[in-house]
Amino acid sequence: MSPTTPRSHPFATDRRRFLLGTTAALGAGAATVLGLPGTASARSAATGTLYIASDSTAQTYNSGYYPQAGWGQTLPAFFSSNITVANRAIGGRSSRSFIEQGRLAAIHQVIKAGDYLFVQFGHNDATVGNAERYTSPADYKEYLRNDYIRATRARGATPVVVTPVSRRSYNASTGQFNVSFPQYVNAARAVAAEEGAPLVDLSELSRVYLNGVGIEASKKVFLWLSPGQYPNFPNGISDDTHFQQNGATQMSRLVAQAVARLGLPLSGEVKPAAL
């Protein structure tokens, strides 16, 4: 089966019913809706909504989970009041299940021209042993292309591909952090390049950041808590995937800094404090 038709999952043939319009006729030419660096559109102020489609690494947590937080939860602090952040990220979802459950369709029902859709998946796509989540790298690439990029552009909005943020996974011999989910990182980079979509390479940015703080200090980035340290985690926790408030803030800062360099209308709405 060719990479452009990798539909082995039993729900795959039904996924188009969750989209509000066809994207089959859309090609790379749809990139004309993007404001390119150096154009009048790219230099103008932006107003609108920044939607986030993602998983538990980006989702918003209520006070019962404090200090756990996702980077989408802390992202609004880095943008001007012209931008509303609508964080639709939710734990346990992959690029495929987010579509199958109608969550992308719900965004597409309200997204409009001038809005943005930031899409970050990969953590759950890579769970081979979980049939509800697993999505092959080839399928992941086509979901990004057809459902998240082209279908979003069809609504006049701008999709932004975000590579999966790094886990606390490192080489004990070198002290350097590993690339998490490399097949999905490479697929996201490739489809963004092929479609001319803006890319926030959070995989690389977060890994460079973690290498800078070091292995031990990275525990303060991720959800490593001692017993009794926080009421919501009385027994403590050692979590190498999810972030505590400080870590989520640092990840969202990296996202905002990358956006400032994209040359989009949104770029001018990044607060100077983020840079």
Side-chain angles (χ1 to χ4, degrees), residues 153-164:
R153 283 175 169 169
R155 288 155 176 82
T158 300
V160 177
V161 177
V162 183
T163 54

Side-chain angles (χ1 to χ4, degrees), residues 135-235:
T135 309
S136 72
D139 281 8
Y140 166 84
K141 185 177 179 181
E142 294 311 309
Y143 285 123
L144 291 182
R145 183 194 311 281
N146 296 314
D147 300 282
Y148 293 95
I149 295 176
R150 294 185 179 180
T152 298
R153 283 175 169 169
R155 288 155 176 82
T158 300
V160 177
V161 177
V162 183
T163 54
V165 68
S166 295
R167 298 184 70 251
R168 188 175 178 272
S169 169
Y170 54 87
N171 184 316
S173 298
T174 65
Q176 298 294 292
F177 281 78
N178 300 318
V179 176
S180 302
F181 319 107
Q183 290 182 298
Y184 296 89
V185 171
N186 291 335
R189 290 171 178 163
V191 75
E194 291 163 7
E195 295 295 314
L199 176 73
V200 171
D201 197 349
L202 188 54
S203 168
E204 176 68 10
L205 294 171
S206 58
R207 190 167 61 86
V208 169
Y209 173 80
L210 292 170
N211 282 332
V213 302
I215 293 172
E216 187 61 28
S218 69
K219 292 179 180 179
K220 296 182 180 180
V221 174
F222 291 89
L223 199 62
W224 275 65
L225 309 175
S226 302
Q229 186 178 0
Y230 288 97
N232 291 327
F233 296 88
N235 298 320

Side-chain angles (χ1 to χ4, degrees), residues 14-89:
D14 294 329
R15 70 188 184 90
R16 286 287 181 260
R17 68 190 177 88
F18 294 112
L19 298 177
L20 301 179
T22 181
T23 62
L26 295 174
T32 55
V33 301
L34 292 174
L36 298 177
T39 66
S41 174
R43 291 193 299 269
S44 61
T47 58
T49 301
L50 188 167
Y51 292 90
I52 300 173
S54 190
D55 52 36
S56 59
T57 62
Q59 83 170 66
T60 297
Y61 295 85
N62 63 39
S63 59
Y65 286 87
Y66 185 81
Q68 185 171 357
W71 64 258
Q73 179 176 349
T74 53
L75 189 62
F78 296 105
F79 284 91
S80 78
S81 59
N82 291 334
I83 302 301
T84 299
V85 176
N87 189 9
R88 302 293 182 87

